[in-house]
Amino acid sequence: GLYVGSIPVGGMDREEVVSFLEEMNNKLSEQGITISFDTGEETKSIIVDPIQVLDVDGATIELIRIDVESASDWLLDYNKQGGWFSQSLLVLKNRATRPHLAISQLITNTEQMKSIVKEQLSFYETEKVNANVDILNIDPLEYNIVTSTIGMQYDYDRMAEKIIGEWSRLEAPTVSMNKETIQPQILEADVEGVLDRLPDIFKHGGLTISYTDPHTKQTKTWEITKGLIADWIEVQETEENGEAFGLKKENVFEFFENKLAPVINIEAEEARFQADENGKVTEFKGSRPGISINIEETYKLVNDAILQRFWHEEGAVDLVQPVIDQVEPDIKTGEINDLGIEEILGVGHSKFVGSSYWRKKNIRHAVMDKLNGRLIKPDEDFSLVNALKPFTIADGYFVEKVIKGNRIEDEVAGGLCQVGTTMFRSAMNSGLPITARTNHGLVVHYYDDLVSGNPGVDATIYDPSPDFRFLNDTGHHILISVEMIEETNDLYITFWGTNDGRKGYYSSPIVETWIGYGETINEETTDLAPGEKNCQAPFRGAIASFTYTRELPDGEVIERVFRSQYRAVPWICQVGVDPNAPPACEGTEEECAVSAIDEVISDTTEDVVDTEELAPVEVEVVE
């Protein structure tokens, strides 16, 4: 006496039940899901196929079907609990009541189902529109009030419930959908009630979102300008304080997903560590947690910053730090070595934009072949020159340009000051004592500070000196790892070790004085064709300084001011001259003029021969 919906299933064995349910699945799928809906002018209907094709390759998804195995088990076990007496009573009861069951063992893709139907019906829907302001101009402030509109939408949740209910009773689903009225939450009167505070939203300018990578220590900022605020502004209903001006969630979410997430979000990485018999680390990957921006919570902070401008005259927030979610890796760096290589101490960063092919080759040879994987022992006074030499072609370096006095000349291993500068920044961000550092003689753009763009945070090296050196006073080994990204011209040098609680950082350099490069210097040379000119570009001189701060574990703060002086060098032009030309006169202008006349007279009279065959001639020299 058992039924599923209106179909009897009493007396079936397992094979028959399975076959029956599979047949019903196929039958219901073939009949499809009938959706009828009111457009406001007429009633239409569509048939939705429960088996949807997702792509051109033929991949499919079933919106709804019976889980035949579990449903068969349930039907066969229905009311068969207890002993023979209670089961006999249930058999009699079933024959008398003939229970009509609904199968709950369904596999459904409800959200996909609603999405497919909504895609076909959305043309006939209208979204509700809250009253708002449309900013036409910020300064001076001009705006229009956007009127509210009632929305008309279909109830897709009820549709899905009805489809599931009828399918569970083995009935081909037929759903009639009616439009529902959606009232706006914000009306024109609500907007008019807050307009007097609208100027305060823009009075404090835009919003800055600032994020500092916990590993590289590099800071990235994004600006939500006054223009974006004007585009995203809306009147919101708050729980405690009524209507106020905030930002549209969909616009802010899109901004976060397109701008912030690609920079911030990083998958968790597990550690790898392997060293050779010489103590050099041949394979290393430091662990790092996976991080991602929590868009919902960060939106709340940004939106609250705008709401606070509405509620309060003073104390407006103009800087927001994003909320970050973190996932720890399974294998951490400190778990796979006994050298104290546990975490990042500091990262140095520089850019080599504009570098030649051979300059990049020299940098890569130095950092990847010489430095990457190098271990610095406890209490070692690390010398960068010793680590990178010999500076020879046989060792793998190439000829490139170097600074020698006031000249830019070609020499083997040119360009390695990019490494010295980056290491200098790594050591300072790691809070290590600097024992030797010399600034360059000239201001070179490769070494400009990445925040201010000023010179000052650089370190030059040359064999045997100047050298760049620092002391490993952490009590543990330090491991150097390098990332050289030629696509973006970025060089990162990372120090790994055990952080004893110290902090190291430096201020952006300030240029105290810029020094002009003066008059052009012309130098004659026979290496160029006569009249040909070859010039070396000028360099402005500068005096720059910055402060390096070390905060030690015991609370002591050590500040060191690095002051750098860069020479001014004018245009230096080599001008080709004729090697056979007489030497230039070195006397006064009058003396040189007389000398030139004498040479002319000499040239015109050296072949004159006295003779009685010609009439006498008088020669008068006129100046």
Side-chain angles (χ1 to χ4, degrees):
L2 201 62
Y3 286 74
V4 175
S6 60
I7 301 176
V9 294
M12 293 183 181
D13 60 19
R14 180 175 183 80
E15 183 178 347
E16 291 170 331
V17 171
V18 169
S19 177
F20 166 71
L21 292 180
E22 287 177 345
E23 182 182 344
M24 290 306 302
N25 254 343
N26 294 334
K27 181 179 179 180
L28 292 173
S29 294
E30 290 172 2
Q31 292 178 336
I33 301 169
T34 302
I35 306 291
S36 63
F37 55 96
D38 179 14
T39 68
E41 298 178 354
E42 59 179 326
T43 299
K44 291 187 173 184
S45 63
I46 59 173
I47 304 295
V48 178
D49 191 340
I51 302 176
Q52 292 286 317
V53 179
L54 296 180
D55 54 40
V56 293
D57 296 327
T60 61
I61 183 173
E62 292 185 275
L63 302 181
I64 184 170
R65 66 180 176 87
I66 301 168
D67 184 346
V68 173
E69 291 297 322
S70 58
S72 299
D73 291 340
W74 175 70
L75 285 171
L76 290 165
D77 289 341
Y78 181 77
N79 272 350
K80 291 185 178 175
Q81 295 76 26
W84 66 268
F85 180 75
S86 60
Q87 287 190 27
S88 300
L89 293 177
L90 286 172
V91 169
L92 295 173
K93 180 180 177 182
N94 288 349
R95 289 182 177 177
T97 59
R98 299 185 180 276
H100 293 250
L101 307 179
I103 296 174
S104 61
Q105 292 78 14
L106 301 179
I107 297 174
T108 62
N109 286 284
T110 306
E111 294 305 316
Q112 190 83 18
M113 182 191 303
K114 292 190 289 187
S115 175
I116 289 170
V117 177
K118 183 175 179 58
E119 184 177 351
Q120 299 190 55
L121 270 60
S122 60
F123 176 79
Y124 304 102
E125 295 181 308
T126 56
E127 294 285 341
K128 72 166 186 184
V129 175
N130 286 326
N132 199 17
V133 289
D134 180 18
I135 306 297
L136 306 177
N137 192 59
I138 297 175
D139 189 16
L141 184 59
E142 299 176 9
Y143 57 85
N144 288 330
I145 296 180
V146 178
T147 57
S148 61
T149 303
I150 296 174
M152 302 292 287
Q153 294 181 331
Y154 298 107
D155 189 345
Y156 297 99
D157 291 332
R158 179 180 172 277
M159 173 204 74
E161 292 174 2
K162 197 167 189 306
I163 291 172
I164 292 171
E166 293 186 5
W167 197 283
S168 68
R169 295 189 297 273
L170 306 183
E171 300 171 7
T174 301
V175 180
S176 178
M177 303 184 70
N178 294 316
K179 281 188 174 179
E180 295 183 339
T181 299
I182 311 297
Q183 295 292 338
Q185 297 168 298
I186 306 295
L187 304 177
E188 288 78 355
D190 299 321
V191 175
E192 292 171 355
V194 297
L195 283 177
D196 60 323
R197 297 305 304 273
L198 182 58
D200 296 314
I201 304 301
F202 301 100
K203 180 174 65 177
H204 301 285
L207 274 175
T208 299
I209 301 176
S210 177
Y211 170 72
T212 300
D213 188 296
H215 287 267
T216 67
K217 303 298 190 293
Q218 299 297 314
T219 298
K220 175 72 175 177
T221 61
W222 298 266
E223 297 296 326
I224 298 179
T225 63
K226 290 197 295 185
L228 289 177
I229 293 174
D231 291 340
W232 301 348
I233 199 166
E234 69 174 0
V235 179
Q236 299 177 348
E237 185 177 7
T238 64
E239 293 182 3
E240 298 180 357
N241 299 308
E243 287 74 25
F245 286 110
L247 299 179
K248 297 174 185 175
K249 178 179 284 190
E250 60 270 20
N251 294 108
V252 180
F253 271 40
E254 182 180 10
F255 181 80
F256 289 168
E257 289 166 353
N258 293 337
K259 302 292 185 181
L260 278 68
V263 176
I264 295 175
N265 293 1
I266 298 176
E267 294 288 336
E269 295 180 351
E270 296 182 350
R272 298 195 302 272
F273 188 97
Q274 186 172 346
D276 61 19
E277 62 277 5
N278 297 319
K280 183 176 181 180
V281 177
T282 56
E283 182 182 12
F284 174 74
K285 183 69 175 180
S287 65
R288 66 171 298 165
I291 53 177
S292 61
I293 178 174
N294 186 318
I295 291 179
E296 180 70 40
E297 294 301 317
T298 305
Y299 164 75
K300 291 179 182 178
L301 293 179
V302 170
N303 194 59
D304 188 62
I306 300 299
L307 292 172
Q308 294 300 323
R309 295 184 180 189
F310 176 86
W311 289 323
H312 307 295
E313 293 283 351
E314 303 296 335
V317 173
D318 58 9
L319 180 67
V320 173
Q321 293 183 334
V323 178
I324 302 299
D325 292 332
Q326 182 167 305
V327 177
E328 291 296 328
D330 292 333
I331 303 175
K332 298 180 176 62
T333 306
E335 299 172 349
I336 57 173
N337 73 91
D338 57 1
L339 300 173
I341 310 300
E342 296 183 354
E343 58 197 313
I344 289 178
L345 303 179
V347 180
H349 179 204
S350 69
K351 298 188 78 72
F352 48 91
V353 178
S355 293
S356 69
Y357 174 81
W358 298 114
R359 187 174 192 272
K360 292 179 183 178
K361 292 280 283 186
N362 284 341
I363 295 171
R364 178 166 291 280
H365 176 54
V367 297
M368 302 311 297
D369 298 336
K370 304 274 190 173
L371 292 181
N372 192 41
R374 190 181 188 98
L375 287 168
I376 303 173
K377 297 177 182 178
D379 300 319
E380 178 181 346
D381 188 14
F382 177 82
S383 164
L384 184 58
V385 168
N386 289 339
L388 300 185
K389 67 182 187 182
F391 303 105
T392 62
I393 291 177
D395 187 68
Y397 289 112
F398 297 90
V399 173
E400 243 303 324
K401 296 189 181 300
V402 299
I403 301 173
K404 299 196 75 172
N406 290 343
R407 303 281 183 172
I408 306 297
E409 300 181 358
D410 287 335
E411 191 167 298
V412 176
L416 296 191
C417 291
Q418 191 84 44
V419 183
T421 294
T422 314
M423 287 282 282
F424 181 33
R425 298 171 183 180
S426 302
M428 289 192 292
N429 284 331
S430 301
L432 300 172
I434 308 300
T435 55
R437 175 262 178 180
T438 303
N439 62 276
H440 289 78
L442 306 179
V443 173
V444 181
H445 77 274
Y446 294 127
Y447 315 126
D448 289 343
D449 180 64
L450 297 181
V451 176
S452 67
N454 288 331
V457 192
D458 60 303
T460 184
I461 59 171
Y462 195 82
D463 187 21
S465 67
D467 194 0
F468 171 68
R469 308 173 74 102
F470 62 87
L471 179 66
N472 176 11
D473 65 343
T474 66
H476 299 273
H477 282 78
I478 291 177
L479 172 67
I480 302 173
S481 71
V482 181
E483 186 177 15
M484 182 177 178
I485 311 172
E486 294 194 33
E487 293 78 10
T488 59
N489 298 292
D490 287 298
L491 178 63
Y492 297 95
I493 298 180
T494 303
F495 289 178
W496 295 78
T498 299
N499 192 322
D500 57 7
R502 75 180 66 191
K503 294 181 181 178
Y505 50 90
Y506 57 91
S507 62
S508 287
I510 298 173
V511 176
E512 303 169 13
T513 305
W514 285 106
I515 304 169
Y517 48 77
E519 297 291 331
T520 300
I521 297 176
N522 290 310
E523 300 174 343
E524 294 183 346
T525 178
T526 58
D527 294 335
L528 299 175
E532 185 179 347
K533 182 181 284 190
N534 184 16
C535 295
Q536 173 183 290
F539 292 84
R540 282 193 303 170
I543 298 175
S545 63
F546 71 92
T547 302
Y548 170 37
T549 302
R550 300 173 62 217
E551 297 181 9
L552 303 185
D554 61 3
E556 181 183 2
V557 177
I558 301 174
E559 292 187 346
R560 178 178 177 183
V561 176
F562 283 93
R563 196 165 185 269
S564 304
Q565 185 162 351
Y566 304 91
R567 297 187 302 278
V569 176
W571 285 97
I572 301 177
C573 295
Q574 292 186 315
V575 181
V577 296
D578 185 352
N580 299 317
C585 177
E586 298 181 355
T588 66
E589 184 176 352
E590 183 177 351
E591 291 171 341
C592 289
V594 172
S595 175
I597 293 169
D598 290 340
E599 289 180 14
V600 172
I601 293 172
S602 175
D603 290 342
T604 58
T605 60
E606 63 182 3
D607 293 329
V608 175
V609 178
D610 288 339
T611 177
E612 296 178 354
E613 297 177 359
L614 299 175
V617 175
E618 291 185 359
V619 177
E620 181 183 3
V621 178
V622 180
E623 183 175 357

